[in-house]
Amino acid sequence: KQERLTTVDALISVTVPGDGWTCSEDSFHADATSATWVRCHLTASDPEVWLMAKDYTVADEGLQKAPKRLFEDHYDKNYHRMFDSHRYLSQEEVRHQSRPGFEVLLAANASGTAIQLRERAVVEGVHVALVTAHWPEAEGERVQPAVDSWFASVRFESLDNPRDMAQAQERWQL
């Protein structure tokens, strides 16, 4: 049976990919902004293969309930910074924990290495639930089962209990 990792603040729970993977968690809280994430990387891979699940708050009400806008307005700018070039292989509406979301698959070039990036975002209130996988294109066939399992196994407390999360967010601001 595979091990599940739950963050200290219980915002994220995910199945650890297995042998050869190293996982860590971290968080940031300041004023009305917070972020919690789990990141796992395949230790034998070069360049690094990594998976991430992140829950963060966003104050821009225009982005709330609009995960596609996050990709169009914000994440695309990050892709320009992260990669020498990128193109979308797919963009689609998806569901995660019964909530509507948006997912993209990119082909990118980073310092001469062909990279693929898969990202899914779901917005619930002020929370963005983000699932990411990043791998060299040449590793795709080998890491695809871990990527699929990661996307299927990650659970966000903000999506399961949005009302409780809104109350907790109010307490953080006091």
Side-chain angles (χ1 to χ4, degrees):
K1 183 178 176 180
Q2 289 187 309
E3 171 190 357
R4 275 198 81 74
L5 171 66
T6 301
T7 56
V8 171
D9 57 13
L11 290 177
I12 301 169
S13 175
V14 66
T15 300
V16 175
D19 292 339
W21 290 85
T22 302
C23 299
S24 62
E25 69 169 281
D26 207 347
S27 64
F28 169 83
H29 302 279
D31 301 321
T33 302
S34 67
T36 296
W37 60 94
V38 173
R39 182 176 163 132
C40 297
H41 69 278
L42 188 57
T43 53
S45 181
D46 186 35
E48 198 172 285
V49 175
W50 54 266
L51 307 169
M52 185 177 66
K54 183 176 187 178
D55 179 300
Y56 67 96
T57 56
V58 59
D60 182 352
E61 290 184 22
L63 293 179
Q64 295 172 10
K65 303 215 185 281
K68 185 176 180 181
R69 259 196 70 206
L70 280 171
F71 285 98
E72 294 170 345
D73 297 347
H74 294 280
Y75 296 159
D76 193 65
K77 291 175 187 165
N78 291 340
Y79 302 149
H80 282 286
R81 285 192 294 268
M82 289 171 59
F83 305 118
D84 301 328
S85 63
H86 70 276
R87 64 184 169 85
Y88 290 89
L89 299 175
S90 66
Q91 301 180 64
E92 61 184 342
E93 292 181 0
V94 295
R95 296 196 74 75
H96 193 92
Q97 290 174 239
S98 302
R99 300 280 196 271
F102 198 75
E103 182 173 307
V104 300
L105 177 63
L106 301 178
N109 184 298
S111 302
T113 301
I115 298 291
Q116 291 205 329
L117 180 85
R118 178 179 169 191
E119 284 200 299
R120 175 184 295 168
V122 179
V123 180
E124 180 63 48
V126 298
H127 285 266
V128 175
L130 182 67
V131 186
T132 305
H134 175 284
W135 66 92
E137 189 177 282
E139 299 283 339
E141 190 173 310
R142 185 169 71 95
V143 301
Q144 196 61 52
V147 170
D148 292 342
S149 176
W150 183 262
F151 274 71
S153 77
V154 70
R155 305 281 305 171
F156 295 94
E157 181 66 18
S158 60
L159 302 182
D160 279 340
N161 298 300
R163 188 169 294 131
D164 293 344
M165 291 306 300
Q167 291 169 352
Q169 189 72 28
E170 288 174 15
R171 286 193 300 271
W172 292 336
Q173 294 176 8
L174 296 177

